[in-house]
Amino acid sequence: MRAAFITGGSSGIGFAAAMQLAVKGHDLALFARDASRLLAARDALLQAAPNINVETYAVDVANEVALTEALSDAVLELGAPEMAIASAGIAQPGLFHAQSADLHRRHMDVNYFGTLTFVQALSKPMQDAGGGHIGLISSGAAFFGIYGYGAYAPSKFALRGLAEILHLELAAANITTTVIYPPDTDTPQLTEEKRTKPMATQKITEGGGLWQPEDIAARLIAGMKAGHAAVAPGFQMAALNRLGSLIAPLLRWHQKRIISQHGNQ
Protein backbone atom coordinates (compact mmCIF):
# COMPACT_ATOMS: atom_id res chain seq x y z
CA MET A 1 0.00 0.00 0.00
CA ARG A 2 1.56 3.25 -1.17
CA ALA A 3 1.09 6.74 0.26
CA ALA A 4 -1.67 9.26 -0.36
CA PHE A 5 -0.91 12.89 -1.26
CA ILE A 6 -3.60 15.51 -0.58
CA THR A 7 -3.65 19.25 -1.20
CA GLY A 8 -5.96 21.19 1.06
CA GLY A 9 -5.37 18.34 3.47
CA SER A 10 -5.63 20.32 6.70
CA SER A 11 -9.41 20.89 6.61
CA GLY A 12 -12.68 20.18 4.86
CA ILE A 13 -12.96 17.43 2.27
CA GLY A 14 -9.18 17.08 2.04
CA PHE A 15 -8.79 16.36 5.76
CA ALA A 16 -11.78 14.01 5.72
CA ALA A 17 -10.17 12.07 2.87
CA ALA A 18 -6.86 12.02 4.73
CA MET A 19 -8.52 10.57 7.83
CA GLN A 20 -10.27 7.83 5.86
CA LEU A 21 -7.07 6.89 4.05
CA ALA A 22 -5.06 7.05 7.27
CA VAL A 23 -7.19 4.47 9.04
CA LYS A 24 -6.79 2.22 6.00
CA GLY A 25 -3.02 2.35 6.54
CA HIS A 26 -1.82 4.83 3.93
CA ASP A 27 1.10 7.07 4.78
CA LEU A 28 0.18 10.67 4.03
CA ALA A 29 1.64 13.84 2.56
CA LEU A 30 -0.51 16.90 3.25
CA PHE A 31 -0.14 20.22 1.47
CA ALA A 32 -1.77 23.48 2.62
CA ARG A 33 -0.85 27.09 3.28
CA ASP A 34 -1.20 27.22 7.08
CA ALA A 35 1.60 25.38 8.87
CA SER A 36 -0.15 25.39 12.25
CA ARG A 37 -3.33 23.88 10.83
CA LEU A 38 -1.26 21.26 9.04
CA LEU A 39 0.40 20.26 12.32
CA ALA A 40 -2.98 20.08 14.06
CA ALA A 41 -4.25 17.86 11.25
CA ARG A 42 -1.14 15.69 11.54
CA ASP A 43 -1.71 15.23 15.28
CA ALA A 44 -5.34 14.21 14.73
CA LEU A 45 -4.39 11.74 12.02
CA LEU A 46 -1.66 10.13 14.09
CA GLN A 47 -4.01 9.83 17.03
CA ALA A 48 -6.42 7.90 14.81
CA ALA A 49 -3.71 5.90 13.02
CA PRO A 50 -0.50 5.92 15.11
CA ASN A 51 1.38 3.49 12.86
CA ILE A 52 1.42 5.62 9.72
CA ASN A 53 3.79 8.38 8.64
CA VAL A 54 2.36 11.86 8.03
CA GLU A 55 4.48 14.51 6.31
CA THR A 56 3.26 18.10 6.04
CA TYR A 57 4.24 20.81 3.56
CA ALA A 58 3.20 24.43 4.08
CA VAL A 59 2.81 25.68 0.52
CA ASP A 60 0.43 27.72 -1.63
CA VAL A 61 -0.70 25.51 -4.51
CA ALA A 62 -0.84 28.62 -6.71
CA ASN A 63 2.97 28.85 -6.44
CA GLU A 64 4.03 26.42 -9.17
CA VAL A 65 7.71 26.32 -8.23
CA ALA A 66 7.11 25.88 -4.50
CA LEU A 67 4.41 23.24 -4.99
CA THR A 68 6.53 21.27 -7.46
CA GLU A 69 9.44 21.30 -5.03
CA ALA A 70 7.23 20.20 -2.13
CA LEU A 71 5.78 17.35 -4.19
CA SER A 72 9.26 16.27 -5.24
CA ASP A 73 10.35 16.26 -1.59
CA ALA A 74 7.30 14.21 -0.65
CA VAL A 75 8.00 11.63 -3.35
CA LEU A 76 11.56 11.31 -2.09
CA GLU A 77 10.30 10.86 1.47
CA LEU A 78 7.28 8.59 0.92
CA GLY A 79 7.58 7.31 -2.62
CA ALA A 80 5.12 7.89 -5.45
CA PRO A 81 1.54 8.01 -4.15
CA GLU A 82 -1.12 5.44 -4.86
CA MET A 83 -3.86 8.01 -4.14
CA ALA A 84 -3.47 11.69 -5.11
CA ILE A 85 -6.28 14.11 -4.27
CA ALA A 86 -6.28 17.79 -5.28
CA SER A 87 -8.65 19.31 -2.71
CA ALA A 88 -7.21 22.80 -2.30
CA GLY A 89 -9.55 25.47 -3.64
CA ILE A 90 -11.11 28.86 -3.10
CA ALA A 91 -14.57 30.28 -3.76
CA GLN A 92 -15.29 33.97 -3.40
CA PRO A 93 -18.63 34.83 -5.00
CA GLY A 94 -19.57 38.32 -6.09
CA LEU A 95 -20.94 40.23 -9.02
CA PHE A 96 -18.74 40.63 -12.07
CA HIS A 97 -18.42 44.42 -11.94
CA ALA A 98 -17.26 44.22 -8.33
CA GLN A 99 -14.58 41.56 -8.80
CA SER A 100 -11.07 42.49 -9.86
CA ALA A 101 -9.00 40.82 -12.55
CA ASP A 102 -6.61 39.76 -9.80
CA LEU A 103 -9.41 37.89 -8.04
CA HIS A 104 -10.28 36.10 -11.28
CA ARG A 105 -6.62 35.13 -11.70
CA ARG A 106 -6.41 33.94 -8.10
CA HIS A 107 -9.31 31.54 -8.64
CA MET A 108 -7.66 30.13 -11.75
CA ASP A 109 -4.25 29.94 -10.08
CA VAL A 110 -5.56 27.96 -7.10
CA ASN A 111 -8.46 25.94 -8.48
CA TYR A 112 -7.15 25.12 -11.94
CA PHE A 113 -3.41 25.69 -12.18
CA GLY A 114 -2.77 24.40 -8.66
CA THR A 115 -4.48 21.16 -9.65
CA LEU A 116 -2.66 21.07 -12.99
CA THR A 117 0.73 21.43 -11.28
CA PHE A 118 -0.20 18.70 -8.81
CA VAL A 119 -1.04 16.23 -11.58
CA GLN A 120 1.93 17.18 -13.76
CA ALA A 121 4.35 16.63 -10.88
CA LEU A 122 2.90 13.29 -9.77
CA SER A 123 1.69 11.50 -12.89
CA LYS A 124 5.15 10.38 -14.04
CA PRO A 125 6.28 9.04 -10.62
CA MET A 126 2.91 7.30 -10.28
CA GLN A 127 3.30 5.75 -13.73
CA ASP A 128 6.81 4.56 -12.87
CA ALA A 129 5.45 3.00 -9.67
CA GLY A 130 2.81 1.04 -11.56
CA GLY A 131 -0.11 3.47 -11.60
CA GLY A 132 -2.58 4.81 -9.09
CA HIS A 133 -5.64 6.97 -8.63
CA ILE A 134 -6.06 10.74 -8.99
CA GLY A 135 -9.03 12.60 -7.51
CA LEU A 136 -10.08 16.12 -8.50
CA ILE A 137 -12.75 18.28 -6.88
CA SER A 138 -14.90 20.41 -9.14
CA SER A 139 -18.38 21.85 -8.46
CA GLY A 140 -21.93 22.07 -9.70
CA ALA A 141 -20.81 25.48 -10.98
CA ALA A 142 -18.89 23.58 -13.67
CA PHE A 143 -22.11 22.55 -15.41
CA PHE A 144 -23.77 25.90 -16.10
CA GLY A 145 -23.16 29.59 -15.54
CA ILE A 146 -24.41 30.68 -12.11
CA TYR A 147 -25.12 34.30 -11.22
CA GLY A 148 -22.50 35.54 -8.74
CA TYR A 149 -19.84 32.98 -9.66
CA GLY A 150 -18.01 34.95 -12.36
CA ALA A 151 -14.57 34.34 -10.87
CA TYR A 152 -15.20 30.89 -9.43
CA ALA A 153 -17.19 29.01 -12.09
CA PRO A 154 -14.70 29.40 -14.99
CA SER A 155 -11.98 27.76 -12.88
CA LYS A 156 -14.26 24.79 -12.23
CA PHE A 157 -15.37 24.61 -15.87
CA ALA A 158 -11.68 24.39 -16.80
CA LEU A 159 -11.06 21.73 -14.17
CA ARG A 160 -13.96 19.67 -15.50
CA GLY A 161 -12.43 19.69 -18.98
CA LEU A 162 -8.99 18.77 -17.63
CA ALA A 163 -10.43 15.88 -15.63
CA GLU A 164 -12.23 14.44 -18.65
CA ILE A 165 -9.03 14.55 -20.72
CA LEU A 166 -6.86 13.09 -17.96
CA HIS A 167 -9.30 10.22 -17.50
CA LEU A 168 -8.60 9.27 -21.12
CA GLU A 169 -4.92 10.11 -21.49
CA LEU A 170 -3.58 8.72 -18.20
CA ALA A 171 -5.38 5.39 -18.55
CA ALA A 172 -2.48 3.99 -20.56
CA ALA A 173 -0.24 4.67 -17.54
CA ASN A 174 -2.62 2.65 -15.33
CA ILE A 175 -3.71 5.88 -13.63
CA THR A 176 -7.42 6.50 -13.15
CA THR A 177 -8.69 10.07 -12.87
CA THR A 178 -11.95 10.79 -11.06
CA VAL A 179 -13.63 14.18 -10.68
CA ILE A 180 -16.29 14.79 -8.03
CA TYR A 181 -19.01 17.45 -8.14
CA PRO A 182 -19.94 18.07 -4.50
CA PRO A 183 -23.14 19.79 -3.43
CA ASP A 184 -22.80 22.40 -0.66
CA THR A 185 -20.52 20.83 1.93
CA ASP A 186 -20.02 21.89 5.55
CA THR A 187 -16.44 23.13 5.28
CA PRO A 188 -14.49 26.27 6.20
CA GLN A 189 -14.53 27.19 2.51
CA LEU A 190 -18.33 27.24 2.46
CA THR A 191 -18.36 29.45 5.56
CA GLU A 192 -16.00 31.88 3.85
CA GLU A 193 -17.99 31.70 0.61
CA LYS A 194 -21.16 32.83 2.37
CA ARG A 195 -19.51 36.11 3.38
CA THR A 196 -19.71 37.49 -0.16
CA LYS A 197 -22.48 35.38 -1.70
CA PRO A 198 -25.21 37.57 -3.24
CA MET A 199 -28.74 36.79 -2.07
CA ALA A 200 -29.80 35.72 -5.55
CA THR A 201 -26.87 33.28 -5.67
CA GLN A 202 -27.90 31.82 -2.32
CA LYS A 203 -31.41 31.21 -3.63
CA ILE A 204 -30.16 29.73 -6.90
CA THR A 205 -27.80 27.27 -5.22
CA GLU A 206 -30.02 26.13 -2.36
CA GLY A 207 -31.96 22.89 -2.49
CA GLY A 208 -29.18 20.32 -2.58
CA GLY A 209 -28.94 20.10 1.19
CA LEU A 210 -25.79 20.43 3.27
CA TRP A 211 -23.44 17.47 3.01
CA GLN A 212 -20.70 16.53 5.45
CA PRO A 213 -17.11 16.40 4.20
CA GLU A 214 -16.74 12.82 5.39
CA ASP A 215 -19.56 11.71 3.08
CA ILE A 216 -18.10 13.54 0.08
CA ALA A 217 -14.63 12.16 0.80
CA ALA A 218 -16.00 8.61 1.04
CA ARG A 219 -17.81 8.99 -2.30
CA LEU A 220 -14.66 10.33 -3.94
CA ILE A 221 -12.37 7.60 -2.62
CA ALA A 222 -14.81 4.88 -3.64
CA GLY A 223 -15.12 6.42 -7.11
CA MET A 224 -11.35 6.63 -7.47
CA LYS A 225 -10.85 3.00 -6.54
CA ALA A 226 -13.62 1.94 -8.91
CA GLY A 227 -12.05 3.94 -11.73
CA HIS A 228 -15.11 6.12 -12.32
CA ALA A 229 -14.63 9.19 -14.49
CA ALA A 230 -17.02 11.27 -12.39
CA VAL A 231 -18.89 11.15 -9.09
CA ALA A 232 -21.96 13.34 -8.59
CA PRO A 233 -23.46 12.95 -5.10
CA GLY A 234 -27.13 13.75 -4.59
CA PHE A 235 -30.05 14.15 -6.97
CA GLN A 236 -29.16 17.67 -8.16
CA MET A 237 -25.54 16.90 -9.03
CA ALA A 238 -26.48 13.59 -10.64
CA ALA A 239 -29.05 15.35 -12.81
CA LEU A 240 -26.57 18.07 -13.81
CA ASN A 241 -23.91 15.48 -14.60
CA ARG A 242 -26.24 13.51 -16.85
CA LEU A 243 -28.56 16.18 -18.26
CA GLY A 244 -26.83 19.52 -17.75
CA SER A 245 -26.76 20.61 -21.39
CA LEU A 246 -30.39 19.61 -21.91
CA ILE A 247 -31.78 21.48 -18.93
CA ALA A 248 -29.53 24.56 -19.26
CA PRO A 249 -32.32 26.70 -20.82
CA LEU A 250 -34.60 25.88 -17.90
CA LEU A 251 -31.84 26.71 -15.43
CA ARG A 252 -31.25 30.10 -17.09
CA TRP A 253 -34.98 30.87 -16.90
CA HIS A 254 -35.02 29.85 -13.21
CA GLN A 255 -32.07 32.11 -12.44
CA LYS A 256 -33.56 35.12 -14.22
CA ARG A 257 -36.74 34.73 -12.18
CA ILE A 258 -34.77 34.70 -8.91
CA ILE A 259 -32.53 37.60 -9.99
CA SER A 260 -35.58 39.73 -10.76
CA GLN A 261 -36.77 39.16 -7.18
CA HIS A 262 -33.50 39.78 -5.38
CA GLY A 263 -31.51 42.04 -7.72
CA ASN A 264 -28.00 42.91 -6.54
CA GLN A 265 -28.55 42.09 -2.87
Side-chain angles (χ1 to χ4, degrees):
M1 182 182 297
R2 305 201 317 268
F5 288 15
I6 304 174
T7 66
S10 63
S11 65
I13 297 169
F15 176 73
M19 182 62 73
Q20 292 174 27
L21 292 169
V23 298
K24 294 179 186 295
H26 290 272
D27 290 334
L28 293 167
L30 306 182
F31 306 82
R33 286 183 298 169
D34 191 317
S36 62
R37 292 177 69 176
L38 277 169
L39 292 177
R42 180 179 184 273
D43 289 345
L45 291 163
L46 289 175
Q47 185 173 358
N51 295 322
I52 68 168
N53 185 15
V54 180
E55 299 292 334
T56 62
Y57 301 87
V59 63
D60 185 345
V61 299
N63 187 327
E64 179 182 357
V65 173
L67 178 59
T68 301
E69 290 178 353
L71 290 165
S72 178
D73 290 345
V75 170
L76 288 174
E77 184 67 29
L78 297 175
E82 177 183 350
M83 308 286 284
I85 298 174
S87 184
I90 62 168
Q92 187 172 333
L95 300 185
F96 180 77
H97 63 76
Q99 294 192 305
S100 68
D102 284 344
L103 185 61
H104 281 259
R105 292 189 186 96
R106 178 65 180 168
H107 279 78
M108 289 298 297
D109 285 343
V110 174
N111 296 345
Y112 179 75
F113 286 108
T115 298
L116 178 66
T117 300
F118 182 72
V119 177
Q120 285 180 323
L122 293 180
S123 56
K124 186 60 166 63
M126 292 173 71
Q127 178 180 0
D128 292 344
H133 308 283
I134 291 174
L136 310 181
I137 299 179
S138 187
S139 164
F143 292 115
F144 68 106
I146 300 177
Y147 179 90
Y149 279 143
Y152 173 71
S155 67
K156 295 300 186 176
F157 266 82
L159 187 57
R160 177 187 173 194
L162 177 66
E164 292 184 1
I165 293 166
L166 292 177
H167 183 77
L168 298 172
E169 292 197 10
L170 296 185
N174 198 32
I175 297 172
T176 66
T177 303
T178 302
V179 60
I180 192 168
Y181 301 101
D184 278 350
T185 306
D186 188 12
T187 65
Q189 177 176 294
L190 182 63
T191 300
E192 186 64 25
E193 183 179 335
K194 289 180 177 179
R195 297 180 189 276
T196 61
K197 205 171 190 177
M199 180 59 68
T201 311
Q202 295 180 39
K203 295 296 182 182
I204 291 165
T205 57
E206 69 183 12
L210 184 64
W211 287 60
Q212 294 304 307
E214 294 78 12
D215 296 325
I216 298 299
R219 297 285 189 98
L220 174 59
I221 291 169
M224 291 168 67
K225 290 187 174 180
H228 294 324
V231 176
F235 173 78
Q236 283 189 337
M237 292 302 113
L240 286 170
N241 186 41
R242 293 178 180 273
L243 303 170
S245 60
L246 294 176
I247 63 177
L250 177 61
L251 294 171
R252 282 193 290 270
W253 171 85
H254 175 62
Q255 289 194 78
K256 289 178 180 178
R257 183 176 60 85
I258 291 175
I259 292 164
S260 68
Q261 295 172 354
H262 296 280
N264 295 335
Q265 300 177 43

